[in-house]
Amino acid sequence: MITLKSILPSGLVYDHIVSTGGIGSGIFFSLRGIETLGRNESRMATLLPYKDFCKQHIILHYVSVLLGAQLNGDFQSYPIGRVGNDEIGKSLLSQMNDVGMDTRHVSLSDHLPTLFSVCFQYPDHSGGNITTAESACSQVLPEDISLFFKDFELNGRTGIMLAVPEVPVNTRIKLLEYGRLRRSLNVASVLSSEVDEFKEAGGFAMVDILALNIDEARSIAQIKDESVATGMIIEACIEKLTAVHPSISVLITCGSSGVYSYSGSRVEFTAALKVPVISTAGAGDAFLAGLIAGLCCGLPIIKGANDDSFSSSPLKSATQLGILLASLSVTSPDTINANANTESVYRLIKEYKLETGMEFSELFSNCNEYYYSKP
């Protein structure tokens, strides 16, 4: 497997990731009509043969593939979660093991089924999902986090704690608390419906990097008027968050337009790469995974410049690596693009003739060595 290479002589900045969040599957419906689904509306839709996965699985899959996760390897990936004692749950565990995750702390529930989502998509490829509240994931408890760290003996370089939705908020808070104790990089996302609960539990104060979409940013900003401009939402969201945690970094995805990144008192917009789109489901999670992988390899969050287009200046940042991975994600009907890896990101750069900075190019030096050594 070809993996990303650290740009630092000392190796990866973060050599392990511990995560909690949703593990599950689902089905896709393609809605007829572009109008937003109404509260009391029934509408015809086409059931699509797409594979759906949940947040923790999606993010850790890409991070594990890009960095070559394996037990006792240079990079290690530790999901904490729960699936049902059913065929779906066992299949998901097998898939996670296949990409190098250590799944010993993903337990089986005999009482509740594996998390399941019904995703719906409009003709313009936007959409949403409805996810089961009572599933095995709902039983991932703070005690499960404590049990993990009771036996956790890895003493490598600093790790990353990733806390994402589809398990209870208090469980994610417990992981962030351990992250603070271990001086880890705490990364999180939060659903619009969870903003108040997460804030009251002290979550925002413990997060180093918060990944949001524009709807979640609107909820944090407490802006209900849908006519308010995106720039004002971004500004208000950052103001609310920095009032709680002055040094927080914030990534806000805005669909096909791009990503707003806030880090070190600077707001930077990075345009999306224009690629053919099959489905946008899972793209935000792919973006976060690419960002995390870039940070592990030593890239900065932002590049220090606002570009008119994605490729108007050399690629330099972890945010741009995240956008490249999201660009591969949307070319697949599934929420995990099984063909997305270090080599396919490299090919995407070459296909679109993107200029890379010297350090960004170093990420793919393993690809260069592979191609140059081929007969």
Side-chain angles (χ1 to χ4, degrees):
M1 177 189 295
I2 301 175
T3 61
L4 294 176
K5 185 176 181 181
S6 174
I7 66 173
L8 304 175
S10 57
L12 295 173
V13 177
Y14 306 101
D15 59 7
H16 64 279
I17 184 168
V18 181
S19 174
T20 193
I23 304 171
S25 66
I27 56 175
F28 275 91
F29 281 100
S30 176
L31 294 175
R32 297 183 182 178
I34 195 66
E35 299 81 10
T36 300
L37 194 65
R39 184 180 182 89
N40 298 306
E41 179 185 354
S42 296
R43 189 182 302 184
M44 299 298 291
T46 301
L47 180 61
L48 301 174
Y50 298 168
K51 298 175 183 178
D52 185 35
F53 303 93
C54 292
K55 281 186 177 293
Q56 178 179 203
H57 186 181
I58 297 171
I59 297 167
L60 285 193
H61 170 90
Y62 289 125
V63 172
S64 298
V65 167
L66 291 175
L67 298 178
Q70 56 181 309
L71 189 64
N72 299 320
D74 292 336
F75 184 83
Q76 298 178 50
S77 178
Y78 300 96
I80 303 172
R82 197 179 298 269
V83 296
N85 190 7
D86 46 42
E87 289 305 312
I88 294 175
K90 293 173 183 176
S91 175
L92 293 172
L93 279 176
S94 177
Q95 293 172 50
M96 295 168 78
N97 283 320
D98 286 346
V99 296
M101 296 184 215
D102 184 337
T103 61
R104 287 176 291 178
H105 287 268
V106 179
S107 56
L108 297 177
S109 172
D110 291 322
H111 307 293
L112 290 170
T114 300
L115 183 69
F116 191 80
S117 292
V118 177
C119 303
F120 55 91
Q121 192 172 96
Y122 296 96
D124 66 354
H125 304 293
S126 64
N129 66 77
I130 302 169
T131 304
T132 50
E134 296 300 322
S135 71
C137 281
S138 68
Q139 297 301 306
V140 182
L141 304 175
E143 290 80 0
D144 294 314
I145 307 298
S146 297
L147 182 63
F148 173 88
F149 285 103
K150 178 182 177 182
D151 301 325
F152 189 61
E153 298 179 352
L154 184 65
N155 292 311
R157 287 182 288 275
T158 306
I160 293 176
M161 302 295 152
L162 174 68
V164 294
E166 295 154 352
V167 301
V169 167
N170 63 342
T171 303
R172 286 137 62 188
I173 294 295
K174 178 61 71 173
L175 180 63
L176 296 174
E177 289 174 350
Y178 272 100
R180 277 290 170 264
L181 289 172
R182 297 177 63 87
R183 297 182 180 178
S184 300
L185 180 72
N186 281 353
V187 181
S189 62
V190 60
L191 301 178
S192 299
S193 59
E194 300 173 332
V195 165
D196 290 340
E197 181 184 2
F198 195 81
K199 179 181 178 181
E200 290 171 6
F204 293 135
M206 291 188 288
V207 174
D208 299 306
I209 298 176
L210 183 66
L212 307 166
N213 62 32
I214 191 63
D215 184 69
E216 292 154 359
R218 182 190 298 275
S219 295
I220 292 173
Q222 298 179 325
I223 295 175
K224 296 182 179 180
D225 184 355
E226 294 190 3
S227 67
V228 174
T230 298
M232 293 183 65
I233 296 171
I234 303 297
E235 183 179 345
C237 174
I238 292 171
E239 184 178 341
K240 293 282 187 183
L241 291 170
T242 53
V244 176
H245 185 357
S247 60
I248 193 171
S249 294
V250 186
L251 290 306
I252 303 173
T253 56
C254 297
S256 60
S257 60
V259 178
Y260 286 89
S261 307
Y262 172 81
S263 183
S265 301
R266 176 184 172 86
V267 178
E268 182 175 292
F269 177 73
T270 307
L273 178 64
K274 303 303 180 185
V275 298
V277 175
I278 294 177
S279 172
T280 60
D285 298 324
F287 164 76
L288 180 54
L291 176 96
I292 289 171
L295 294 175
C296 287
C297 291
L299 292 180
I301 293 178
I302 59 178
K303 68 187 296 185
N306 287 293
D307 292 339
D308 295 331
S309 64
F310 180 73
S311 57
S312 58
S313 66
L315 306 182
K316 294 181 179 179
S317 69
T319 292
Q320 290 171 306
L321 182 62
I323 289 177
L324 287 171
L325 192 60
S327 300
L328 289 174
S329 170
V330 301
T331 64
S332 169
D334 304 328
T335 52
I336 291 178
N337 183 347
N339 296 317
N341 52 37
T342 301
E343 185 179 353
S344 61
V345 175
Y346 179 78
R347 288 199 305 266
L348 185 68
I349 292 171
K350 296 300 181 183
E351 178 184 351
Y352 282 81
K353 297 180 173 59
L354 305 177
E355 187 180 356
T356 58
M358 183 172 62
E359 290 184 336
F360 202 96
S361 295
E362 183 67 17
L363 294 176
F364 301 95
S365 57
N366 289 333
C367 291
N368 287 323
E369 291 169 6
Y370 170 77
Y371 284 115
Y372 290 150
S373 65
K374 288 179 70 174

